[in-house]
Amino acid sequence: MENLEAQRAALEASELSSLELVSAALARAEAEGRSLGAVVGLRAEAALAEAAESDARRRAGEIRSPLDGTPVLLKDNMVMQGEPTTCASRILEPFVSPYDGAAAERLQAAGAIILGRANMDEFAMGATTENSIFGPARNPWDPERTCGGSSGGSAAAVAAGVTGFALGSDTGGSIRQPASFCGVVGMKPSYGRVSRWGLVAFASSLDQIGPFTHTAREAAWVLEAISGHDPRDSTSLPEKSPDLVSALTGDVSGLRIGLPKEYFVDDGADSGVVEAVRQGVAELESAGAKVVEVSLPHTPYVVSTYYLVATAEASSNLARYDGARFGRRAEGVGDLDSMYRRSRSEGFGDEVKRRILLGTYVLSAGYFDAYYRKAQQVRTLVRSDFERAFEACDVIAGPTYPEVAFSLGARLDDPVSLYLGDIYTVSANLAGLPGISLPCGQLQGLPVGMQLLGRSLDEATLLRVADAFQRRTDHHEQSPPRAR
Ligand code: GLN
């Protein structure tokens, strides 16, 4: 009973109570969740009490949403009142949130039961969930391999069946890439779709919250619950929460799938990954979709553009961790300056420091025009690449990541190789577009992810295509050996 749709059906048929579901999920979170390093904090007592309330509501005939009574994990960068939020960082280790973020609030309004917190890369900077004070999260398909990152704990927990769904955040691929490594569905909504009130900021012009599930249908349920305008987030769009479930017709006939030629070059993704994605696209074609070639000519520049914009914004956002206002303060310091310096040197890990240094550099007076302003200009070009491509197609398809999950530790000394791996995911963030990764095959027993990108605010078409694909295939039904 480990996927959301089955949980919902069992609750509706009164075969299981929420209390039973949540107790079982807590047990799995303590066992597999902890041993995989995917779960880093649980609120067992509160979750059980909320499950009992959900059961009472259901008995009274009040069901809030398809999520009512089902367990969920939040990435450890979304705040909940009275709970710690660490961002997997020493600097926030002692932090307990005085308020509920929008994600927690909306999930609870939908009746979902928040079990606790999932592991991540420190401040969401990384692609392996190894930059964490809790230690790495592991891939349920092979615990010696990475589950991806930065929302790796959320992806691993859903793949291992700890919960039927989880939330992550995606600044440059942090939902879609771990989803592809763990064989689950991961979706980044359009920029502004989901409120970021209470999401600890990494790069504010790129960050978005989104779901991990097994199916596009389940992703539609979660997205309907968490999206919609929020006046507390100034970047939140005025649109109401979209009707996504009714878009899942299974019909893709006549729909145009664009394959960017820059995503299918010889020295690009691993050939096995490309093969699986091509087969996925062929499946859509046999369902009546039309495949067209499109071009995203600025693709060679997206990684550098992303790492300039993201680090610049991060250096500014992370300036607030000064030891004075919240989080950890260095002890035994004599003056204010050394308090700031020591708190920050002790509190941040190496990758976060690297990004703060890079971001501060690109924003500094002498280099601003050469790096930051230039990056903003290229960002505009990337956006217009997509506008042009979407004149010829309705959805863009390609690999989510150039390879399948690699060994833990393999890239620890080579951050640049990790940065380069983000080539297919960062564009959606730069352009503000929705993107989804869904399992489309396996390579050496490890899941391969296919990414679909859509027009801004067109989550409906994206989910329609993903759902149609899943109706015809069973890749999303494969589960890792540990969960079998
Ligand atoms: N891998 C990317 C990075 O390290 C993406 C991170 C994210 O989306 N949070 O910045």
Side-chain angles (χ1 to χ4, degrees):
M1 195 56 60
E2 287 153 5
N3 58 59
L4 185 53
E5 186 151 8
Q7 292 177 354
R8 176 187 180 182
L11 287 169
E12 283 174 0
S14 304
E15 286 161 14
L16 266 182
S17 65
S18 171
L19 200 55
E20 287 168 316
L21 259 183
V22 169
S23 317
L26 282 167
R28 289 192 300 268
E30 284 293 4
E32 292 97 314
R34 298 273 191 191
S35 69
L36 286 168
V39 173
V40 298
L42 289 169
R43 50 191 293 277
E45 218 172 289
L48 291 169
E50 291 163 15
E53 283 168 29
S54 167
D55 286 330
R57 275 199 303 274
R58 193 175 292 272
R59 280 194 298 274
E62 187 210 329
I63 297 163
R64 292 184 177 170
S65 84
L67 309 181
D68 204 334
T70 63
V72 58
L73 288 161
L74 300 187
K75 185 177 183 177
D76 198 9
N77 60 354
M78 298 174 206
V79 307
M80 270 196 93
Q81 184 171 12
E83 298 290 330
T85 302
T86 71
C87 287
S89 180
R90 202 154 297 293
I91 209 156
L92 277 180
E93 224 178 350
F95 177 75
V96 173
S97 172
Y99 72 104
D100 268 332
E105 224 175 60
R106 298 234 164 137
L107 284 176
Q108 290 188 321
I113 315 295
I114 302 174
L115 288 196
R117 301 176 285 122
N119 204 359
M120 57 183 284
D121 283 299
E122 185 177 5
F123 283 102
M125 298 174 188
T128 62
T129 315
E130 289 171 298
N131 307 325
S132 165
I133 50 164
F134 303 107
R138 296 168 179 277
N139 193 318
W141 292 84
D142 174 357
E144 296 311 314
R145 290 176 190 263
T146 175
C147 54
S150 64
S151 314
S154 305
V158 172
V162 172
T163 53
F165 73 114
L167 294 191
S169 65
D170 189 311
T171 304
S174 279
I175 293 175
R176 292 160 286 155
Q177 183 257 25
S180 82
F181 279 15
C182 292
V184 295
V185 166
M187 179 161 189
K188 180 198 95 74
S190 309
Y191 184 71
R193 190 55 114 173
V194 177
S195 169
R196 299 178 308 175
W197 170 255
L199 170 72
V200 178
F202 162 11
S204 307
S205 76
L206 305 163
D207 299 340
Q208 251 309 275
I209 291 175
F212 289 94
T213 56
H214 290 282
T215 65
R217 173 167 299 273
E218 296 162 343
W221 297 343
V222 182
L223 202 53
E224 282 189 2
I226 62 174
S227 56
H229 180 61
D230 182 351
R232 299 166 300 183
D233 171 358
S234 62
T235 64
S236 153
L237 295 167
E239 270 74 12
K240 282 216 293 287
S241 183
D243 181 3
L244 298 170
V245 175
S246 65
L248 309 180
T249 58
D251 181 15
V252 291
S253 50
L255 212 110
R256 298 162 304 166
I257 315 270
L259 301 186
K261 59 174 195 254
E262 295 80 4
Y263 288 10
F264 293 89
V265 290
D266 280 347
D267 56 349
D270 185 307
S271 59
V273 168
V274 173
E275 183 48 35
V277 170
R278 284 203 188 275
Q279 274 174 24
V281 172
E283 193 64 50
L284 289 168
E285 206 171 5
S286 67
K290 272 179 51 193
V291 174
V292 297
E293 187 185 91
V294 295
S295 175
L296 299 170
H298 292 91
T299 299
Y301 312 107
V302 296
V303 170
S304 352
T305 305
Y306 166 80
Y307 278 93
L308 293 172
V309 173
T311 56
E313 293 182 16
S315 74
S316 157
N317 274 325
L318 271 58
R320 72 191 65 170
Y321 305 104
D322 55 5
R325 284 172 292 176
F326 32 67
R328 179 181 301 274
R329 177 179 305 171
E331 281 167 24
V333 280
D335 59 90
L336 189 63
D337 265 355
S338 30
M339 191 276 280
Y340 290 152
R341 202 170 314 123
R342 288 253 322 268
S343 299
R344 287 171 69 82
S345 347
E346 292 168 14
F348 290 131
D350 288 347
E351 182 61 27
V352 173
K353 285 179 184 162
R354 176 160 34 236
R355 305 230 186 167
I356 293 174
L357 288 171
L358 182 58
T360 308
Y361 179 83
V362 305
L363 287 176
S364 60
Y367 297 102
F368 184 88
D369 286 334
Y371 295 114
Y372 187 71
R373 190 187 305 283
K374 184 65 80 190
Q376 295 294 10
Q377 290 164 341
V378 180
R379 185 174 186 176
T380 304
L381 296 173
V382 172
R383 207 175 283 137
S384 39
D385 277 1
F386 280 101
E387 276 161 19
R388 216 158 306 131
F390 281 126
E391 285 168 12
C393 67
D394 303 296
V395 157
I396 287 174
T400 304
Y401 202 74
E403 55 191 324
V404 292
F406 43 85
S407 296
L408 282 167
R411 309 282 158 88
L412 279 181
D413 299 326
D414 193 0
V416 173
S417 77
L418 286 179
Y419 299 174
L420 292 172
D422 295 336
I423 174 120
Y424 306 125
T425 49
V426 295
S427 300
N429 305 78
L430 289 169
L433 309 176
I436 189 169
S437 177
L438 61 162
C440 70
Q442 285 189 14
L443 197 56
Q444 291 131 25
L446 297 165
V448 177
M450 170 165 74
Q451 177 176 240
L452 303 174
L453 301 172
R455 297 190 181 96
S456 179
L457 293 182
D458 195 11
E459 281 84 1
T461 303
L462 215 50
L463 287 165
R464 174 150 65 99
V465 177
D467 171 64
F469 179 77
Q470 292 189 320
R471 290 183 194 213
R472 305 174 63 92
T473 57
D474 64 357
H475 305 297
H476 59 289
E477 284 163 12
Q478 311 304 316
S479 48
R482 290 170 69 99
R484 257 173 221 147

